[in-house]
Amino acid sequence: MPTKDGTLSQEEQQELLEKFDPEAATRKLTGIMGWIVFFGLLAFSLFQLYTAIFGVFTAQIQRSIHLGFALALIFLLFPMRKKTLRKNKVAWYDIILSLLGIAVGAYWPLFIDDLVNRVGRLTEMDYSIGLIAILLVLEATRRTVGLPITIIATVFMIYALFGPYMPGFLAHRGLDLDTLVQTMFFTTEGILGTPLSVSATFIFLFLLFGAFLVKTGVGQYFNDLAVSFAGKRVGGPAKVAIFSSALQGTISGSSVANVVTSGSFTIPMMKKLGYRKEFAGGVEAAASTGGQLMPPIMGAAAFLMVEFIGGGITYWDIAKAATIPALLYFAGIWIMVHFEAKRVGLRGLTDEELPDRSEVLRKIYLLLPILAVIILMVSGMSIMRAALWSILITILVSLFRKDTRIGFKDAIDALVDGARTALSVAAATAAAGIIVGVVTKTGLGLKLANGLLDLAGGVLIPTLMLTMVAALILGMGSPTTANYVITSTIAAPAIILLGVPDLSAHLFVFYFGIIADITPPVALAAFAAAGVSGGEPLRTGVNSAKLAIAAFIIPYMFVLSPELLMIDTTWYYLVWVVFTAVAGMMAIGAGVIGYWLRKLTAVERIIGLVAGILLIYPEGMSDIIGLGLFIGLVILQLVFKRNKPNLEQPAN
């Protein structure tokens, strides 16, 4: 049952996570099997820390051990069917699958000399292990992240095998099963490819970093900090949700997890002050999903972006480029929340409802590890080293106060929790490697890119729109990591062929892959928020998509005007672009909500939407016309402003 203030208990939060996030649906093991899993997870983290400190092994060894740990633990923790989730026993066949996972992980370390010496020639044992590896990866992916990515990886392998029978430009010579198995497990172009490499190095350490941050209580601190600085403003709780969720994104790469953790605190506050259930859920879903767009830590896919773009680009380059778009995204949500609060006459929190600001400020040191990540990466330190030092700094910072101190037990728990979080990422990146391997071996990426260009007539805007639709569809129910791998290998090349900078193209597909979580009809983050708010799920999804309208516009902005990503620009032009973009967000927000200084008429709403689109479109004449309409709308608002606000009572 919810607590007296309407917040969710830990048990209810876990139930919601299990319902909407496949990654959270794990067995609750006790006894000997529980200890086996506990020590397995601990060993997984210790192995990753060892290689981070003393250097990674040869690519095949590092990645196969990482994969072996993940497969062995996934089959013990994740049941074949959700209906068996509450059982605390592991099925006999899952024990066998777990042992096979260990065998797959150990094969390269044990036989690396033989495998290298007879490269290209598979023995029957090689063939069997490779085939088992493929099947285990597909099943592990299905259990941890769901069917969509599993089906896509399977379809790609079928495409590789039956190339000569494919229609039109999709046809290719085809691969026999031996060649497919060799590519998938005995080269670094398949399962053991770049996606899994990133999981086995950068991503795991940052997941550990997030687990250690949680142990210091930084998640609750984000809520307290947000309430202290935004709680008293008009419609304060909704602005708290935006502020808090933007910060929460630094410790969680899951939109659903962000919604359930911060939303269980912010949504009841919003409802208490008068926000509609669906609107409150929509605010939290939109803000929580945007957490992955906010630097310095932008979810696992951003680490993959470093490897996929190449050309000497660093993670800091990506984080820096994503800063202004992320701020514009949250500014757009903030503006619409403010107008909605004004429209229905919602107040902020009272002094009695706010935490002690002086006490909150005393804990400001909890932000030091996040600041350290930025400084270390800006200084040129490698991503792995920056993550490693950030973990150490988190532990040291926690010692400042007794209530944040990480003891030995907390450190062990953080290592176990970090490894548990990494399981689904390892499975998703291994499956993504299958897709990348097929694309590389068959040349499918260039074929689809050219096909996409032909379909769009070689024109940029239609190509962007088709790419957006593809990313949204692929992102519905798929983890951001897998979605980004697919769209970056298939759709992003089409945009790049039209002369768009690599970084702009990759961030474009990255954005739409993430906001698929709040795009109906499959809007998992919005549905999770509806579970917290008690609102209708589809309406919550519509509200979240409406509030996040900036996310559907901003990617077009930075493709058409790469200066927004701080690429080849001057500071004064950047200021102008940001100014017109924010003004455009205000105009669109007023048009969507129907309120600014007063209630807007239908004509004023249309003017607001048109002015906003013109201001956001990065072109001189459109800016001038948009600014004129913007100023005209402000004048209309001021001249015909009524003495009393036209308030509409919210429907609960």
Side-chain angles (χ1 to χ4, degrees):
M1 294 292 291
T3 57
K4 289 182 179 179
D5 60 0
T7 58
L8 298 182
S9 65
Q10 289 289 335
E11 291 77 12
E12 287 171 316
Q13 290 183 36
Q14 185 60 33
E15 285 179 12
L16 274 177
L17 280 172
E18 291 173 3
K19 183 176 180 180
F20 295 106
D21 189 355
E23 300 174 24
T26 60
R27 291 183 173 110
K28 310 299 180 288
L29 298 174
T30 57
I32 294 176
M33 193 57 70
W35 283 109
I36 289 173
V37 170
F38 175 84
F39 283 112
L41 291 168
L42 181 60
F44 194 7
S45 283
L46 292 176
F47 165 75
Q48 295 291 155
L49 284 175
Y50 175 84
T51 57
I53 295 169
F54 299 104
V56 297
F57 293 109
T58 303
Q60 291 91 336
I61 293 178
Q62 178 79 19
R63 299 170 197 181
S64 61
I65 292 177
H66 180 82
L67 178 66
F69 267 117
L71 292 176
L73 291 163
I74 284 169
F75 290 115
L76 296 180
L77 277 171
F78 291 82
M80 180 176 287
R81 293 173 296 172
K82 269 194 174 184
K83 64 173 65 176
T84 63
L85 179 59
R86 293 297 175 189
K87 295 182 179 180
N88 58 5
K89 292 183 180 179
V90 180
W92 62 268
Y93 50 81
D94 282 338
I95 294 175
I96 293 174
L97 292 175
S98 179
L99 292 173
L100 287 173
I102 294 173
V104 166
Y107 199 71
W108 265 102
L110 290 176
F111 302 105
I112 186 168
D113 291 336
D114 287 343
L115 291 169
V116 170
N117 289 334
R118 50 184 167 78
V119 61
R121 301 191 310 276
L122 297 185
T123 65
E124 287 188 10
M125 179 62 77
D126 296 340
Y127 181 81
S128 300
I129 289 291
L131 198 56
I132 289 170
I134 294 170
L135 295 174
L136 290 181
V137 165
L138 291 174
E139 174 60 10
T141 304
R142 184 193 68 81
R143 294 191 186 194
T144 54
V145 295
L147 271 174
I149 181 62
T150 311
I151 293 172
I152 292 169
T154 304
V155 168
F156 269 69
M157 285 195 295
I158 293 171
Y159 170 77
L161 292 170
F162 295 95
Y165 307 102
M166 294 294 155
F169 70 90
L170 291 175
H172 64 96
R173 288 188 307 169
L175 307 179
D176 57 45
L177 193 56
D178 285 2
T179 304
L180 182 66
V181 170
Q182 181 183 347
T183 302
M184 288 301 121
F185 192 68
F186 294 99
T187 71
T188 53
E189 294 179 350
I191 290 172
L192 303 182
T194 299
L196 189 67
S197 169
V198 176
S199 174
T201 51
F202 315 145
I203 295 176
F204 193 101
L205 290 176
F206 272 97
L207 292 174
L208 273 185
F209 174 49
F212 275 92
L213 282 176
V214 169
K215 288 299 175 184
T216 66
V218 74
Q220 181 58 45
Y221 179 70
F222 285 154
N223 287 337
D224 293 342
L225 186 65
V227 172
S228 297
F229 288 95
K232 290 191 73 171
R233 299 180 181 276
V234 174
K239 293 174 180 175
V240 168
I242 298 167
F243 191 5
S244 173
S245 297
L247 294 172
Q248 289 280 5
T250 62
I251 59 175
S252 170
S254 167
S255 303
V256 174
N258 285 352
V259 166
V260 173
T261 52
S262 61
S264 64
F265 167 73
T266 59
I267 290 175
M269 280 201 305
M270 285 188 267
K271 288 170 59 182
K272 183 179 177 182
L273 285 192
Y275 278 104
R276 291 170 286 124
K277 295 175 183 178
E278 287 81 11
F279 190 86
V283 170
E284 182 57 50
S288 289
T289 299
Q292 293 183 75
L293 304 173
M294 177 61 74
I297 303 171
M298 301 163 56
F303 296 103
L304 283 167
M305 203 179 297
V306 176
E307 300 297 317
F308 275 48
I309 296 177
I313 195 168
T314 65
Y315 186 83
W316 172 245
D317 293 329
I318 293 170
K320 182 179 69 172
T323 299
I324 292 176
L327 292 175
L328 288 175
Y329 173 83
F330 283 102
I333 301 175
W334 185 287
I335 287 165
M336 280 194 272
V337 160
H338 179 78
F339 288 157
E340 173 73 2
K342 296 284 284 185
R343 184 178 72 85
V344 297
L346 301 181
R347 65 174 177 86
L349 298 173
T350 63
D351 290 333
E352 291 73 25
E353 294 171 310
L354 295 172
D356 183 350
R357 181 171 286 191
S358 61
E359 179 63 22
V360 172
L361 290 175
R362 287 192 192 102
K363 291 186 178 181
I364 197 73
Y365 63 86
L366 288 175
L367 300 181
L368 286 175
I370 297 171
L371 183 63
V373 170
I374 300 172
I375 294 172
L376 291 172
M377 288 197 293
V378 171
S379 68
M381 184 177 287
S382 70
I383 298 175
M384 282 187 69
R385 285 289 170 182
L388 194 60
W389 276 104
S390 298
I391 293 170
L392 180 60
I393 291 168
T394 302
I395 296 171
L396 294 175
V397 163
S398 77
L399 302 178
F400 291 178
R401 285 170 60 111
K402 185 177 180 180
D403 57 335
T404 63
R405 192 167 299 153
I406 295 177
F408 179 75
K409 182 179 182 302
D410 290 327
I412 296 297
D413 287 343
L415 291 172
V416 170
D417 291 343
R420 189 187 300 266
T421 306
L423 297 180
S424 59
V425 177
T429 51
I434 292 175
I435 296 165
V436 174
V438 171
V439 168
T440 303
K441 200 72 176 175
T442 63
L444 179 62
L446 187 58
K447 292 174 185 288
L448 288 177
N450 288 325
L452 198 61
L453 283 176
D454 290 341
L455 189 61
V459 182
L460 180 58
I461 296 296
T463 303
L464 292 176
M465 294 177 70
L466 289 172
T467 304
M468 174 189 74
V469 171
L472 289 173
I473 292 173
L474 290 168
M476 290 179 180
S478 294
T480 307
T481 308
N483 175 278
Y484 168 72
V485 169
I486 300 168
T487 52
S488 65
T489 53
I490 294 173
I495 306 174
I496 294 169
L497 286 174
L498 291 173
V500 174
D502 289 11
L503 184 53
S504 298
H506 281 261
L507 279 174
F508 184 89
V509 298
F510 175 67
Y511 254 71
F512 285 111
I514 287 175
I515 61 173
D517 279 344
I518 52 171
T519 305
V522 185
L524 292 182
F527 289 2
V532 179
S533 70
E536 202 278 317
L538 192 56
R539 288 182 182 174
T540 303
V542 171
N543 273 282
S544 64
K546 181 176 71 174
L547 286 164
I549 193 171
F552 293 90
I553 299 171
I554 290 169
Y556 287 89
M557 288 174 58
F558 60 63
V559 167
L560 296 171
S561 182
E563 292 86 359
L564 201 61
L565 302 179
M566 293 185 262
I567 298 174
D568 298 330
T569 188
T570 57
W571 68 267
Y572 49 85
Y573 182 75
L574 187 63
V575 169
W576 173 253
V577 171
V578 172
F579 167 73
T580 56
V582 172
M585 296 294 178
M586 290 183 66
I588 286 176
V592 170
I593 299 299
Y595 194 94
W596 195 341
L597 303 176
R598 60 167 172 78
K599 184 179 178 181
L600 272 66
T601 64
V603 173
E604 288 173 328
R605 294 181 75 164
I606 292 171
I607 292 173
L609 292 171
V610 172
I613 292 170
L614 289 172
L615 282 166
I616 286 170
Y617 183 76
E619 194 270 329
M621 185 55 66
S622 69
D623 285 346
I624 293 170
I625 297 172
L627 200 56
L629 290 173
F630 181 88
I631 294 170
L633 185 59
V634 173
I635 292 171
L636 280 173
Q637 288 275 293
L638 291 172
V639 170
F640 297 104
K641 186 177 180 182
R642 297 167 188 173
N643 294 326
K644 293 182 180 180
N646 186 353
L647 303 181
E648 299 177 12
Q649 292 303 314
N652 287 310

